[in-house]
């Protein structure tokens, strides 16, 4: 909804209409419009995580660290309508957080979960001899995640094809996992 | 101005007031509000490029390809108020382009100038024996630029310090320029 109308157009009234409950009731649960927007973001992120977990499950019984890193990074690209929609909404929230620092406080202190997930997969790859032992897993993971994030805008704007973005990520994965 | 008030609040009237000319005259020059916004973006980008060129000039008489790649990537981080402001405005334009595809047409077809600049510096590094000859300069450049772009949001939101982001980039530059 936020992606269709622009986050700034989302009001308690519209959220209530879409949810089919009285605005007064929503306001009771969320308190303020800011809390409502943050609550909506949590629901969006939980949905995205559930779908990501389903795609991970499709990788089979015991996916390799390499296959998992690839899948995690591909979650950051608009490879289908759901991811595209989620990423556009995140971009709208980003602007809101920039212009309203108080609202950004909950996300500012959030742990870098994605980065730590990729780092732990790289460490697993190191234990299996598939990743160089002297690679700094955390720093490499942070740059891989940043690179995938940075490929999002040009794909969303049609400057890169999705195929070009996944090729660029695959090259980096080939480098990081030379032993596979 | 766009960063302060949100791009969507910028109207012909406000731009005219800030420029000190009658709105009618601005409208004559730019035709539509879309053209005005794109014109404002061109002016913003020209300013940013001029300041970037000044910082490059500060690198000395004959800066190494390595030093130039580093400086180009650091232009993408909010390392001072001017870069921070420019990057916030770009984020606002990004949302506008997503929600108004017709307006994005001029940027969609723009050449990937930054990526090609970094690629040419990597090729220069290869000619000097400072970069592995078998590195795909264009693909590596694209991922370095994407990584720097992807580090922008967490620095703007205060999730990463600027120092952490520059450290992450320096690690990648160490990797790409092992012979320096």
């Amino acid at each position: 909804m936020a992606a269709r109308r622009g986050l700034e157009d989302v009001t308690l009234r519209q959220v209530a209409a879409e949810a089919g409950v009285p605005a007064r009731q929503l306001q009771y649960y969320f308190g303020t419009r800011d809390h409502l927007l943050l609550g909506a973001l949590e629901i969006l992120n939980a949905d995205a995580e559930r779908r990501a977990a389903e795609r991970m499950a499709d990788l089979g019984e015991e996916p390799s660290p390499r296959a998992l890193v690839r899948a995690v990074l591909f979650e950051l690209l608009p490879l289908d309508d759901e991811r595209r929609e989620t990423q556009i909404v995140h971009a709208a929230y980003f602007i809101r957080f920039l212009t309203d620092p108080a609202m950004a406080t909950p996300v500012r202190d959030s742990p870098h979960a994605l980065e730590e997930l990729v780092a732990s997969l790289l460490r697993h790859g190191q234990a299996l001899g598939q990743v160089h032992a002297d690679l700094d897993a955390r720093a490499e993971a942070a740059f891989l995640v940043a690179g995938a994030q940075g490929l999002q805008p040009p794909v969303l704007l049609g400057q890169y094809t999705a195929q070009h973005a996944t090729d660029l990520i695959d090259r980096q994965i080939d480098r990081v996992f030379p032993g596979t």
Side-chain angles (χ1 to χ4, degrees), chain A:
Chain A
M1 188 177 69
R4 286 206 313 274
R5 293 183 204 166
L7 190 71
E8 295 309 313
D9 292 337
V10 174
T11 64
L12 273 175
R13 191 180 302 273
Q14 287 167 325
V15 174
E18 196 133 332
V21 298
R24 190 182 297 273
Q25 192 174 326
L26 267 191
Q27 205 133 21
Y28 173 79
Y29 282 124
F30 286 101
T32 68
R33 188 160 169 282
D34 282 3
H35 283 115
L36 176 66
L37 284 174
L38 288 172
L41 181 59
E42 272 180 38
I43 292 166
L44 177 84
N45 287 344
D47 270 3
E49 277 171 33
R50 184 182 47 71
R51 288 194 298 266
E54 285 169 9
R55 278 186 284 266
M56 302 284 163
D58 288 344
L59 294 176
E61 281 291 307
E62 288 194 38
S64 65
R66 180 196 172 107
L68 285 167
V69 168
R70 188 172 188 265
V72 169
L73 295 178
F74 283 9
E75 287 300 316
L76 299 173
L77 296 178
L79 300 183
D80 54 37
D81 286 347
E82 287 172 342
R83 276 176 273 192
R84 183 183 170 84
E85 180 100 350
T86 300
Q87 290 157 17
I88 291 173
V89 174
H90 278 167
Y93 272 93
F94 172 61
I95 297 284
R96 177 61 186 263
F97 290 152
L98 283 177
T99 55
D100 188 349
M103 194 172 163
T105 306
V107 302
R108 186 175 301 128
D109 301 328
S110 71
H112 300 287
L114 206 59
E115 182 186 321
E116 191 38 61
L117 172 60
V118 172
S120 70
L121 291 166
L122 296 183
R123 284 185 209 107
H124 188 195
Q126 287 176 319
L128 296 172
Q130 297 169 352
V131 174
H132 282 305
D134 59 357
L135 188 97
D136 182 322
R138 184 66 189 249
E140 192 65 43
F143 201 79
L144 287 172
V145 169
Q149 290 276 13
L151 290 169
Q152 207 180 88
V155 177
L156 286 172
L157 290 179
Q159 293 166 322
Y160 284 168
T161 62
Q163 182 66 52
H164 182 59
T166 57
D167 284 350
L168 289 174
I169 289 176
D170 275 334
R171 275 175 184 279
Q172 298 296 320
I173 290 178
D174 284 344
R175 168 177 68 79
V176 172
F177 286 89
T180 50

